[in-house]
Amino acid sequence: MASDMNEKKIYRASTTAPVNIAVIKYWGKRDTRLNLPTNSSLSVTLSQSDLRTHTTASCSPSYTLPDTLVLNARPQPLSDARSQACLSSLRDLRSALESSNPSLPPLSTYPLRLSSSNNFPTAAGLASSAAGFAALVRSIADLYQLPQSPTELSLVARQGSGSACRSFLGGYVAWDHGVLPDGTDSKARLVAPRNHWPDMRALILVVSAEKKDVSSTAGMQTTVNTSPMFQTRATQVVPKAMRDVETAIQNKDFERFAKITMRESNSFHATCLDTDPPIFYLNDVSRAAIKGVEAMNEKAGKVVAAYTFDAGPNCVVYYLEENRDTVAGGFKTVLGEKDGWTGEQGKAVKGAERLLQGKIVNTLREGVSRVILTSVGEGPISVEDHLIDEKGEIMV
């Protein structure tokens, strides 16, 4: 009887993982197989109450091969090289535990059943793959009861999505590009925890929830192969920006942080435009958002807001809580009818003096679909809210 029960036992573990938005962008790989970057990068981990991936990992001797994944209630393939690299690494780590302790159940040999959900649009410039792979790796690591630290597990997540390694830590996180051929020094590093500078806020103007015309993976390698600007950016521009922004974070110097953030975003997209053929991630709505930030800073007489764009048109505006009504309020004045202002954070924002006029206002109103208000947050969190029930069935 005990043997029959063991053959049917369902093992489960669930995790939520955050989105991170890069201040210093990762763009280009020195090793595509291992996902090793050509330059270091740095990001702000965002609050999971606003943006997160929730994943349940389950295994059982009663499951049948192959491993399966359901994302937002839709089956997704796990046969790609990046997913397989993560699963293989995690199984190897669990197998090593089982070899050292034969009393452990052989979870590494059981098929995996994974269920995941996002509370934000997938593949729309909101770092969905980063949160997704961080949640996948962390949930399986918890399922396997692996002893590795978040930094050590970031090496595994990096194989799935480079920026996923930064979602393994909260606060302000660097991903060091490393120099070793095997990539063991290319991992996440904590620059400062969330509570070091908890006043950082972010307003995301969601311009498009559609998939990008050119994926990040395809785009960055085209840039590496064709852009004359790329080497200068990777070897000179980014290393200096990394040093400067880490100093700004340690000193909680928002003006310096903001200027570096905006300059770096511009540098990144200039390199995309320098690619052959050119890659256009920004659009007219993105440019209107930039003009909006510039108008707010000019009116304030100092830098109170910083824009940044990943590989997509969505604008992320960083600001401090003390300037909430100036920055978020400035956008609320013209975008108050959009979804995203009805929550506790949105209601607390007071509309500011209308600084934006004419074409900028019309472009933003026509092009922004919703807003997301969030703040600096923590790394992955283990939860008891499972997406797979005790019988091993996916919960819809």
Side-chain angles (χ1 to χ4, degrees):
M1 180 66 71
S3 177
D4 290 343
M5 291 186 65
N6 286 336
E7 289 179 2
K8 295 180 180 180
K9 185 170 182 178
I10 307 296
Y11 299 86
R12 298 179 297 168
S14 296
T15 300
T16 62
V19 163
N20 71 77
I21 298 295
V23 173
I24 308 297
K25 311 297 184 183
Y26 147 55
W27 198 249
K29 302 177 184 180
R30 62 183 174 90
D31 186 310
T32 56
R33 184 179 65 84
L34 295 176
N35 248 5
L36 302 181
T38 54
N39 63 266
S40 297
S41 56
L42 187 144
S43 61
V44 180
T45 301
L46 300 181
S47 172
Q48 293 183 59
S49 61
D50 309 301
L51 294 163
R52 59 102 183 97
T53 295
H54 178 192
T55 298
T56 296
S58 175
C59 68
S60 172
S62 66
Y63 293 169
T64 57
L65 288 169
D67 300 327
T68 59
L69 167 65
V70 172
L71 172 62
N72 293 332
R74 294 183 178 182
Q76 298 291 320
L78 277 173
S79 57
D80 61 285
R82 297 193 300 170
S83 297
Q84 286 300 308
C86 291
L87 298 182
S88 178
S89 294
L90 291 163
R91 280 194 163 105
D92 287 346
L93 292 171
R94 172 65 189 189
S95 180
L97 284 182
E98 293 164 359
S99 295
S100 64
N101 184 357
S103 67
L104 292 174
L107 303 189
S108 65
T109 66
Y110 299 160
L112 285 163
R113 188 169 293 176
L114 308 168
S115 181
S116 189
S117 66
N118 296 331
N119 66 350
F120 58 91
T122 303
L126 289 177
S128 60
S129 63
F133 273 103
L136 180 146
V137 170
R138 180 74 264 182
S139 62
I140 297 175
D142 288 349
L143 176 71
Y144 287 169
Q145 298 183 325
L146 300 180
Q148 279 72 23
S149 69
T151 294
E152 291 169 323
L153 288 173
S154 77
L155 292 167
V156 178
R158 185 205 70 217
Q159 297 177 79
S161 168
S163 54
C165 72
R166 297 193 308 256
S167 280
F168 255 84
L169 299 169
Y172 305 84
V173 185
W175 171 19
D176 293 323
H177 72 288
V179 296
L180 298 178
D182 66 359
T184 51
D185 59 345
S186 180
K187 56 190 176 184
R189 171 174 57 85
L190 183 66
V191 174
R194 184 198 67 81
N195 59 12
H196 167 74
W197 202 4
D199 298 334
M200 186 67 72
R201 301 290 181 265
L203 169 66
I204 304 175
L205 306 180
V206 181
V207 175
S208 172
E210 300 299 318
K211 286 200 173 186
K212 295 172 281 193
D213 290 336
V214 180
S215 71
S216 299
T217 300
M220 67 175 63
Q221 288 314 105
T222 305
T223 297
V224 170
N225 294 330
T226 67
S227 169
M229 291 176 58
F230 172 75
Q231 282 302 324
T232 301
R233 170 176 162 76
T235 60
Q236 298 179 39
V237 176
V238 169
K240 182 179 186 305
M242 284 290 294
R243 294 191 298 270
D244 291 347
V245 80
E246 289 195 38
T247 299
I249 291 168
Q250 294 298 340
N251 294 337
K252 292 182 272 193
D253 182 344
F254 183 80
E255 180 162 353
R256 190 176 187 188
F257 170 90
K259 288 181 176 179
I260 296 166
T261 296
M262 292 186 284
R263 190 181 305 118
E264 162 60 16
S265 180
N266 294 340
S267 167
F268 161 56
H269 286 281
T271 306
C272 291
L273 289 173
D274 191 50
T275 301
D276 185 16
I279 303 172
F280 301 94
Y281 285 126
L282 305 188
N283 58 23
D284 288 345
V285 187
S286 309
R287 287 182 281 274
I290 291 173
K291 292 178 180 178
V293 168
E294 290 175 340
M296 291 174 189
N297 288 335
E298 182 178 0
K299 178 65 176 179
K302 61 179 181 177
V303 180
V304 295
Y307 60 78
T308 189
F309 297 83
D310 279 349
N314 301 319
C315 182
V316 179
V317 182
Y318 285 118
Y319 60 97
L320 296 180
E321 172 63 22
E322 65 190 59
N323 295 313
R324 178 190 65 194
D325 293 337
T326 299
V327 181
F331 282 105
K332 187 176 185 180
T333 299
V334 298
L335 297 173
E337 299 303 313
K338 302 294 182 178
D339 289 341
W341 300 107
T342 55
E344 183 178 339
Q345 292 186 74
K347 290 179 180 178
V349 176
K350 298 176 182 177
E353 175 187 353
R354 183 163 170 172
L355 301 175
L356 311 183
Q357 304 293 332
K359 185 177 180 181
I360 294 176
V361 172
N362 293 335
T363 302
L364 288 173
R365 284 177 173 168
E366 291 174 4
V368 173
S369 61
R370 63 166 298 173
V371 302
I372 299 171
L373 290 150
T374 187
S375 59
V376 59
E378 300 289 357
I381 300 169
S382 297
V383 297
E384 293 301 320
D385 182 14
H386 300 305
L387 302 178
I388 297 174
D389 67 21
E390 64 276 4
K391 296 180 181 179
E393 300 296 326
I394 302 292
M395 301 171 66
V396 179

